[in-house]
Amino acid sequence: MIKAYIFDVDGVLINSEKYYHQLRMDFFDSVGEVPKASGLDDLVGRSLDDGWKMMVPDRNKREKLMPEFIKYWKANNIDFPKYVNPYVLEVLTRLKADGNVLAIASAGVIEEIDRMVLECGFSGLFDQIISGESVKHNKPAPDIYIESVKRLRINATRCIAIEDSQHGIAAAKGAGLTTWAVHYPEYHIDQTAADIVFNGFEDINRYITK
């Protein structure tokens, strides 16, 4: 039976969480600000807006700093191919070859998601890409997965979400999807709500080729 596999991006397809976290901290240093939240584990899986609300609770200050950060971010673009997690391409290719539907549901910015797909050689593998920008409520709300399933026209019981963060897992489970979590030892994330926890994509590759 054809299934849909819906992937998060940061921390799942791409090991980008540390890069983005360091980028944020470097920016704050450059402007002489001290963020109210600076722990990587606290910010993993959050959208850009939600993360900034934690780091800079003051709305006026946040609205002043945010445009400067966007410029800083674009001037320091991540080299996506360098950060692709091992065995990702093997898993995507295997699932696609078996006739499954592949999609992306990321809390991130669509411009960055599209660039990642292109630069990493994933073009043609994904049938659908949705970012948190296209729904009313981003993760941990289930909106992005509800919308993804709706657009794919595949029953939620035949959809599997691949996530890493507590927020992403909550979003997928809230939409009624079976949820796989990808665990990497450098992150300390509560993944107990996931249906299965895999130690990276090599573990997933073994599972789907049994």
Side-chain angles (χ1 to χ4, degrees), residues 15-187:
N15 187 18
S16 51
E17 298 286 12
K18 283 188 175 180
Y19 178 89
Y20 285 131
H21 183 68
Q22 190 61 53
L23 190 70
R24 290 188 294 255
M25 297 304 107
D26 289 347
F27 169 75
F28 284 117
D29 283 344
S30 73
V31 296
E33 290 287 342
V34 177
K36 298 297 183 183
S38 59
L40 174 59
D41 292 345
D42 294 328
L43 298 168
V44 164
R46 293 186 181 275
S47 68
L48 182 64
D49 286 343
D50 284 347
W52 268 78
K53 286 175 182 176
M54 287 186 65
M55 294 184 294
V56 186
D58 184 283
R59 181 177 178 180
N60 291 330
K61 182 180 289 188
R62 188 167 66 247
E63 289 180 351
K64 179 182 177 182
L65 289 173
M66 193 68 157
E68 294 303 313
F69 174 70
I70 297 299
K71 292 178 185 177
Y72 186 84
W73 181 16
K74 290 184 176 180
N76 294 275
N77 275 335
I78 183 173
D79 181 2
F80 281 120
K82 182 179 176 181
Y83 290 89
V84 176
N85 277 318
Y87 284 87
V88 164
L89 185 58
E90 287 88 342
V91 168
L92 296 179
T93 303
R94 165 72 67 171
L95 292 174
K96 192 71 174 178
D98 288 343
N100 297 294
V101 172
L102 305 185
I104 286 175
S106 169
V109 179
I110 191 64
E111 180 182 352
E112 288 291 283
I113 300 168
D114 287 341
R115 184 170 71 86
M116 180 279 296
V117 169
L118 179 64
E119 293 181 2
C120 294
F122 296 156
S123 298
L125 289 173
F126 293 102
D127 301 276
Q128 176 181 272
I129 297 173
I130 297 181
S131 94
E133 297 170 305
S134 64
V135 293
K136 186 175 182 180
H137 301 291
N138 213 329
K139 300 176 185 179
D143 300 32
I144 194 168
Y145 281 106
I146 292 171
E147 182 63 20
S148 186
V149 169
K150 179 182 176 181
R151 293 187 191 182
L152 289 171
R153 297 182 180 180
I154 296 178
N155 191 286
T157 59
R158 289 166 51 203
C159 296
I160 296 173
I162 298 88
E163 281 282 357
D164 66 317
S165 70
Q166 189 173 359
H167 282 78
I169 293 167
K173 296 298 291 183
L177 276 65
T178 296
T179 306
W180 295 356
V182 183
H183 171 74
Y184 293 103
E186 63 263 39
Y187 302 113

